[in-house]
Amino acid sequence: MNWLLVIVGWLFGLVIAQAQSLVSFDNQAKTNRFDTGDELSKLVNTLITPAQTDLEKARALFVWVASNVHYDDSNIKPYRFGYAVKSIDTVSAATNVLRNKRGVCTDYSLLLYQLLKSAGLSVRIITGYAKGQPDQAGTPIRSINHQWNMVFLDHRWQPLDATWASTNNGTRPLNMYYFLTPPAQFRADHFSTDPAELGSEQSTTKAEFDALPRVYNSYFTLGFGPDFPRQGLYQINKKIQLSVENCADMEFAVLAHRYGQPKNERPIYYRAFRQKTGYSLTMQVFRDGVYSVHVLSRPKGDPGDYQLILTFTVISGTKS
């Protein structure tokens, strides 16, 4: 028994040490402002020098891009979504992003592509669709609207989205959920134009992706899943019901507003029933109309803020 306690204690200490090491590693990468010009190779060499593995190289470069490039759509142009399919000078284009340290998803993905490639890693730029807005819940996304990356690590292609991880010039926390996100979870809000790019596991069609609710990364980080609701649009007669999986004790809140009018958001009546593997939620929308309904959650007894986990589009007033 004493030996078992020693082994458990050693393993726990190892996990803590690794976590502390990653925090230190990330801090070094994000705080390196790299003010020595616009040379990609110098930036790569500076960031990956402390790295001992390909994983650490990828992490350092991802953290730097997400922490130091400011999202700016003031100069967005339609042709920019051609990065993944047109033959361009990726070095010159990435150098321009590095010099300006601002851009949109195509710029984040292009810069990260060139940095990872320069570090000797296999990487791709992926073009596709993303559910980034609440009003995209259960509704078709008419045109390609996003770009991200895939990197080959641990014998498989894994997704990276530096745009959605971005601190936006320090105005929000770095979101490391979008570094090597589990593919099944990544597909809750990303859909590649080439299914092979997300691996053979992708079986979702574009129509099925359009039908999904807006699934936020906090759905998974709070322990919901592994599956998630597949219906994002409800036509109801006042009442909506859904089930979510989570074995932990959770609290919920539900807010709603008229579709496209988020400033008029209000709490709505709901009840949460504990089930064997999760919760059954019953919500009521008393007035007819089209609404965005937001489900929030947090661990039971946690004094912190509720986190947004799901958004649905609800048409109330029709027979279900």
Side-chain angles (χ1 to χ4, degrees):
M1 182 62 72
N2 289 337
W3 279 109
L4 179 60
L5 292 175
V6 170
I7 293 173
V8 171
W10 177 79
L11 290 173
F12 181 75
L14 181 62
V15 171
I16 296 298
Q18 289 176 335
Q20 291 175 339
S21 176
L22 285 177
V23 170
S24 175
F25 193 77
D26 290 349
N27 287 337
Q28 288 181 353
K30 74 173 67 171
T31 57
N32 190 321
R33 295 305 176 189
F34 189 69
D35 295 323
T36 59
D38 52 15
E39 296 184 39
L40 294 167
S41 59
K42 285 186 177 180
L43 175 59
V44 171
N45 290 334
T46 298
L47 292 174
I48 70 172
T49 295
Q52 298 182 11
T53 65
D54 285 347
L55 174 62
E56 290 182 344
K57 292 177 183 179
R59 187 178 180 107
L61 297 171
F62 179 88
V63 167
W64 191 90
V65 172
S67 301
N68 290 277
V69 177
H70 177 58
Y71 191 88
D72 181 5
D73 62 359
S74 60
N75 293 316
I76 190 170
K77 296 179 181 179
Y79 74 84
R80 285 178 170 237
F81 283 109
Y83 281 164
V85 294
K86 291 182 180 179
S87 177
I88 66 167
D89 185 344
T90 57
V91 175
S92 295
T95 299
N96 188 56
V97 179
L98 177 60
R99 183 183 301 119
N100 296 324
K101 292 187 176 64
R102 60 180 58 243
V104 293
C105 61
T106 46
D107 301 295
Y108 280 87
S109 61
L110 179 65
L111 177 57
L112 186 58
Y113 167 83
Q114 197 60 50
L115 294 177
L116 291 169
K117 184 179 178 181
S118 298
L121 301 178
S122 297
V123 59
R124 298 169 175 164
I125 295 176
I126 306 300
T127 300
Y129 304 85
K131 284 184 177 283
Q133 302 299 324
D135 59 8
Q136 292 171 331
T139 61
I141 301 175
R142 301 296 182 185
S143 59
I144 291 170
N145 65 349
H146 197 44
Q147 281 188 350
W148 59 93
N149 298 98
M150 299 283 284
V151 63
F152 195 77
L153 290 171
D154 295 330
H155 310 292
R156 65 188 187 277
W157 288 100
Q158 302 188 61
L160 307 163
D161 192 336
T163 310
W164 283 18
S166 172
T167 66
N168 199 25
N169 204 29
T171 60
R172 60 192 181 203
L174 179 68
N175 190 349
M176 289 301 290
Y177 172 82
Y178 288 105
F179 176 73
L180 309 185
T181 313
Q185 297 180 15
F186 198 75
R187 290 193 291 271
D189 49 23
H190 290 71
F191 183 86
S192 172
T193 52
D194 181 357
E197 299 289 6
L198 278 178
S200 58
E201 294 179 2
Q202 174 166 308
S203 58
T204 305
T205 66
K206 173 58 166 53
E208 290 170 334
F209 178 75
D210 285 338
L212 294 177
R214 174 69 175 98
V215 183
Y216 301 88
N217 66 82
S218 51
Y219 180 88
F220 300 105
T221 59
L222 284 173
F224 291 93
D227 203 2
F228 51 87
R230 304 290 167 161
Q231 182 177 349
L233 175 64
Y234 284 85
Q235 293 185 331
I236 64 170
N237 186 13
K238 312 303 181 186
K239 184 183 295 185
I240 175 175
Q241 290 182 302
L242 72 140
S243 296
V244 291
E245 299 178 16
N246 195 327
C247 292
D249 289 331
M250 306 298 293
E251 298 175 342
F252 296 89
V254 181
L255 304 174
H257 59 75
R258 292 278 184 177
Y259 188 82
Q261 301 177 28
K263 292 183 178 180
N264 298 321
E265 193 171 74
R266 296 288 187 275
I268 65 171
Y269 176 80
Y270 81 96
R271 295 186 69 184
F273 300 94
R274 195 73 165 91
Q275 296 180 321
K276 185 176 181 180
T277 60
Y279 294 87
S280 174
L281 298 175
T282 301
M283 299 160 281
Q284 289 188 307
V285 180
F286 292 104
R287 294 185 178 181
D288 294 351
V290 183
Y291 294 86
S292 291
V293 175
H294 310 286
V295 180
L296 302 87
S297 188
R298 68 183 179 189
K300 188 174 182 179
D302 189 332
D305 293 337
Y306 283 95
Q307 296 184 51
L308 190 56
I309 61 171
L310 296 165
T311 294
F312 302 90
T313 300
V314 176
I315 303 174
S316 180
T318 61
K319 292 185 178 180
S320 56

